[in-house]
Amino acid sequence: MTFDQFLQYILSGITSGSVYALTAVGFTLVFSATQIINFAQGQMVMLGGMMGITLHEAGLPLWACFIGAVAVVAIVSVGMEEIAIRPLLRKGVLTQIIATVGASFIFETAAMLIWGRDAKPLPPFTGETPIAIGRATVVPQTLWVVGLSIVVVVALTIFYRKSLYGTAIRGCAVNPEAARLQGISYRRVVVFTFALTGAVAAAAGVMIAPISFMGYANGTMLGLKGFAAATLGGLGNPVGAVLGGFLLGIVEALGVGVVSAGYKDAIAFVILLLVLFLRPAGLMGAKVVNRQ
Amino acid sequence: MLELRDIRAAYGKIEVLHGLDLTVAAGEIITVIGANGAGKSTLLKAISGLVKLSGGSIALDGERLDTLSVEQVVSRRLIQVPEGRQLFGPLTVAENLALGSYSRRRKGTPVTERLKKVFALFPRLEERKGQQAGTLSGGEQQMLAIGRALMAEPRILLLDEPSMGLAPIIVRDIFATLRTLNQEGLTMVLVEQDARIALSLAHRGLVMERGRIVLADTSQGLLANPEVQAIYFGQRAGGRAGAGSGGGR
């Protein structure tokens, strides 16, 4: 592999890593607030992409498609929590996790019935002329995807660290009963978290659709990769989730270059298994995983 | 001010409070003493709304509280300092205090003024404001738990075993602070196993056994009561059959 090829693979890895990172952030935020692993997270990304495409086909400008898709998927995510997860509160976390798996099948089937079996594209936000970085090239949409990931991660970090409501959500994750005794509504925190993760997933879906098309079945793999990234970084740790996402994307891309494109998906899961065997708490070793 | 009428509460099918009556006047400190399992903590949880009543009523200045959610009770400024402190361990001291102000973030005295007051009462919290709450000593954690409650500008402070696990000298300091707060007008309901220090602080005391109030008197009256002395201070007297291991510390 030449240096130029290496650079090209790294850039490609950063692009897919951005989407994995945003999906992993969704996993980790829901897990922190509720201890639930939301296996419908990948389908939220898919729904975001499909929604963006539909709105564009209806003649809306791209910025409106983006906002519309984010809003719709945030509502869908809250609806899933209200209908499939909340009624199972007394049945335990495992039952709720299984409910998210069920929800993912429903979303996938519904998407197939609504949008058909073929993957669809969304036009790039700002043209298709490749930009040279050294001797490697990227399409402008890549910059949008990477830029969005950085903006989302910085905004979430500021929100969770600096705002009172963000601190309240972290408090809820640590000790829900003590949080209630401060007047913090746990219900609202859960609803807000599902809305936020739905919105982040949808934003990722709309951003990636111009690069890799979007179809009803894309959510499963995106979800599994996001879960692998979240586990790699340390479930419950948003910074770890982002690092895990980028690391997974880059290793996957290099694996394609060194081994074969056929093993692309297998590489992610070999990494997931290695992490689970060797460092179950993930690279960032989030304390929250072992708090019980 | 606070009025409990024939309150009953159960965990599943097991009733743990069997019809309690209690009235708390403004500016008063009432202490509830009793053995482990007497229902003292459940009583506080029932007032806070964490445990729902199966009968009876709780009212604050005539407004029913037992139909409200925990968050709504907190917004009426009935603030609980829970057993075992229940701090947000990974969050800093400053963040814990900020969350204390959550229910009154847009009302009352400015939050910065409240923070100044808490730091004046507990200067050690100011020194450690950037430190994770879980790394504080037991005494500092109790100070933080009380400080966090004060950030909500309570009308009634509900304290569940504030002396638990603390060295006697720390307990003395904390109770001295509670006395100061009461002299400034703060009403308190204090649940304690350390009957002597609790009664020395309170105006009135109640003795609970097996979910019932079995004795109610002024603190001086209870301190002088031979039965209370026998059970809770380990002094020789008639003794109450079936009393637990609550006293003697």
Side-chain angles (χ1 to χ4, degrees), chain B residues 27 41 47 69 85 141 155 162 173 187 189 196 246 249:
Chain B
S41 294
I47 298 173
S69 68
R85 273 77 88 171
Q141 290 196 7
R155 292 181 66 201
D173 284 352
T187 310
V189 179
R196 195 186 298 272
R249 274 199 295 153

Side-chain angles (χ1 to χ4, degrees), chain B residues 74-136:
Chain B
V74 170
S75 74
R76 269 59 169 184
R77 294 159 65 195
L78 263 86
I79 308 297
Q80 187 173 343
V81 180
E83 185 179 354
R85 273 77 88 171
Q86 303 238 21
L87 297 172
F88 304 109
L91 273 57
T92 65
V93 168
E95 286 172 333
N96 271 271
L97 291 172
L99 290 189
S101 71
Y102 185 84
S103 60
R104 277 179 75 74
R105 56 197 180 280
R106 291 187 211 102
K107 294 179 224 162
T109 319
V111 173
T112 48
E113 293 298 315
R114 287 181 239 168
L115 202 56
K116 270 187 202 164
K117 189 182 170 190
V118 169
F119 285 153
L121 281 171
F122 303 114
R124 232 182 295 176
L125 294 184
E126 186 165 22
E127 291 165 21
R128 306 208 188 293
K129 63 184 175 188
Q131 196 172 321
Q132 283 189 324
T135 64
L136 299 176

Side-chain angles (χ1 to χ4, degrees), chain B residues 136-155:
Chain B
L136 299 176
S137 70
E140 290 164 347
Q141 290 196 7
Q142 190 60 62
M143 291 173 200
L144 180 54
I146 295 170
R148 184 179 66 180
L150 294 176
M151 290 297 288
E153 299 192 290
R155 292 181 66 201

Side-chain angles (χ1 to χ4, degrees), chain A residues 162-226:
Chain A
K162 301 292 178 194
S163 77
L164 185 61
Y165 198 62
T167 310
I169 294 173
R170 287 194 290 135
C172 248
V174 175
N175 189 335
E177 184 171 293
R180 293 187 74 197
L181 288 172
Q182 314 314 312
I184 300 160
S185 165
Y186 183 61
R187 273 298 316 147
R188 276 191 206 165
V189 164
V190 171
V191 168
F192 177 84
T193 302
F194 272 88
L196 182 65
T197 54
V200 169
V206 178
M207 286 287 171
I208 196 73
I211 296 176
S212 59
F213 286 44
M214 193 60 81
Y216 79 96
N218 287 35
T220 304
M221 196 50 77
L222 282 168
L224 289 173
K225 299 275 179 72

